[in-house]
Amino acid sequence: MADHIRPPLQPSARPSHHEPNPEDIDKVRAWQEERLQRKLRGVYESEMLHLAQLVNDNLDTPLTISSVRIDGATHTSQSFLAWLLRPHLTSFIPPSPDISLSQPTLHTVLHTTRTISHTLTSTDLFRALTARIERAEAGADGEIDLIFNVKERGRFFLKSSTEVGNGEGSASLTARLTNILGYADVLSLNTSLGTKTKRAFDASFSLPVSRSLSSHAFVGVVGTERELGVQGGGGREERVGVRVGVRTSGGSESPVGTGAVAGTSDITAEGIWRCIGGLNDDAGISIRQSAGPSLKTSLTHTYTHDTLNDRVMPTSGAFLRIINEFALTGKVASFGSPPSLPLSSSSSSAANGVKDAVKDAVLGEGKTAFWKMEGEVRRGWGLARGLTVSLTARAGLLHLLAGDPSATHYSDKFQLGGPLSVRTFGVGGMGGHEGATSVGGDLYYALGLSVLGNVPKRPEWPVKLHGWVNAGRVQGIDGAPLQRTLHTAVTHPSISAGLGLVYRFDPIRAEVNFGVPLVAAKGETLRRGVQVGIGLEVL
């Protein structure tokens, strides 16, 4: 037959093939590669459909798991992995010899494989995970081995950073050691130096306490030394504390994409030693009453629910946080007989605080017990493409359960104002004052309305245009009926408004604003003009 075929031959390509000109070698080669890839994809999809059909036709086939093996988890405790996986194997292991289980099937095995994979991924210990099913080497018919190949993440993390804003600068160093004991444990160390917060450190250790990995127990040690500024009588406060607690996560994943769940609940018990000292001669009597060493023990519950789809420009979702704290506080002397300590001329700021406390011994003495509640709600809406509006509301109440109101520690009272709070007011500059010293308050609220939009013709820039209106009030109760105090606070707010720029480098937000106070109470510290703020949470 081939003898009857003689050139010239007609082209065999169809118009639908889009075959290029044979003289263009590069286009012909690319066209052939595309046809080959298309054919391979078709073969792959056909095989996948065949495999899916095969699995679906055999879902009821009796099958049982003989063993589960995890390869590659060299630094993870085998007892911890067995503790995690035991609940997933209840369909294959009877609780006692007298109890018989229903015959597991291929469907049961596939479901178990998926749940175990999800649990192993939730530990955040592995950067890669694959699963396969093999016939059991020494098992009977219908028995299989479930094998997971994993690659562990790095166990050591180190990061340094610097922050500058609103007249304050800081440098920090963070170290994290993961899975040191092999139980998905985390040891975190953080230390920082700054202009206002002179020194700070935080060391914590946590590990999971539930097989679902939704609950973690933690213990930590914290310490800070910070300047209180003009609003705090020019003094300095030192704090050292120990805390233990349990953090429980629940609900769906947050749409922010951070992997965090939408609802978390923390219960924390904390003991703190703190000391205010080095006060100026013109410091107010309210902060002098808190000068010197004091102790605080507290039990705090924090609930957070976050479904915002963006932290800076949310178009949907909401944020809710409620904090309840029960605390017992008092000067060190009120917990026992104060020791006789010699004070030399070279004493530190803590010794100066003791002198201040002795000088004002008749004021602020004794123990106090209080309940402190704070809440925050935030909601975001998308008005148009690249234009969002958000509304934030915060409020707090400190209710004295026992003790003299004058003995309430300065650091336990609410302070309001600043670039991250009610803008165009000084840091802690709202509320009553004794000279330049802020008195703080037992009750406060703050409202913030913000409109953010893209820079015209530059929607990809991290810099956003910002317009805002803030309102708030902080004041003491001073024995007055709570209803009257609330009425006074609501009907006499301080208000400010302004424009500015927001630079977003998630999760931190930096602002440069120009604003003016529209309404202010007598004695409040104002900051007209440009104000700079950097932080995680902004009103």
Side-chain angles (χ1 to χ4, degrees), residues 285 288-289 331 356-366 404 406-407:
I285 191 66
R288 287 189 176 277
Q289 291 172 194
K331 294 290 185 67
D356 293 334
V358 173
K359 179 179 178 181
D360 302 300
V362 297
L363 299 171
E365 294 295 335
D404 186 354
S406 67

Side-chain angles (χ1 to χ4, degrees), residues 262-403:
T264 61
S265 180
D266 289 19
I267 299 178
T268 306
E270 190 171 25
I272 301 176
W273 175 92
R274 53 192 180 180
C275 181
I276 292 179
L279 298 174
N280 295 335
D281 293 338
D282 59 350
I285 191 66
S286 61
I287 195 169
R288 287 189 176 277
Q289 291 172 194
S290 299
S294 65
L295 298 176
K296 176 183 177 181
T297 57
S298 65
L299 181 64
T300 305
H301 175 260
T302 303
Y303 175 76
T304 305
H305 186 83
D306 185 6
T307 58
L308 292 174
N309 63 347
D310 191 273
R311 299 188 186 279
V312 178
M313 300 179 65
T315 58
S316 64
F319 175 86
L320 170 67
R321 179 167 55 206
I322 301 175
I323 304 173
N324 284 280
E325 177 187 9
F326 291 91
L328 175 66
T329 69
K331 294 290 185 67
V332 171
S334 67
F335 286 89
S337 300
S340 177
L341 298 176
L343 299 177
S344 64
S345 59
S346 61
S347 298
S348 65
S349 61
N352 293 332
V354 174
K355 291 181 180 179
D356 293 334
V358 173
K359 179 179 178 181
D360 302 300
V362 297
L363 299 171
E365 294 295 335
K367 302 175 185 177
T368 61
F370 62 82
W371 165 59
K372 188 176 182 180
M373 186 275 290
E374 284 189 81
E376 179 178 355
V377 179
R378 187 182 181 195
R379 185 75 168 86
W381 299 271
L383 299 181
R385 185 177 180 87
L387 184 65
T388 65
V389 59
S390 62
L391 179 64
T392 304
R394 299 174 182 170
L397 172 67
L398 190 152
H399 177 65
L400 197 64
L401 301 175

Side-chain angles (χ1 to χ4, degrees), residues 422-446:
V422 181
R423 301 172 180 86
T424 75
F425 290 86
V427 178
M430 299 181 66
H433 282 68
E434 295 171 348
T437 304
S438 173
V439 175
D442 306 315
L443 178 149
Y444 89 96
Y445 72 90

Side-chain angles (χ1 to χ4, degrees), residues 168 171 192-200 224-227 236-237:
E168 179 177 6
S192 63
L193 302 173
T195 56
K196 290 186 178 180
T197 302
K198 294 297 184 181
R199 288 185 295 271
T224 61
E225 178 185 349
R226 65 186 182 102
E227 299 283 357
R236 177 178 296 183
E237 182 184 35

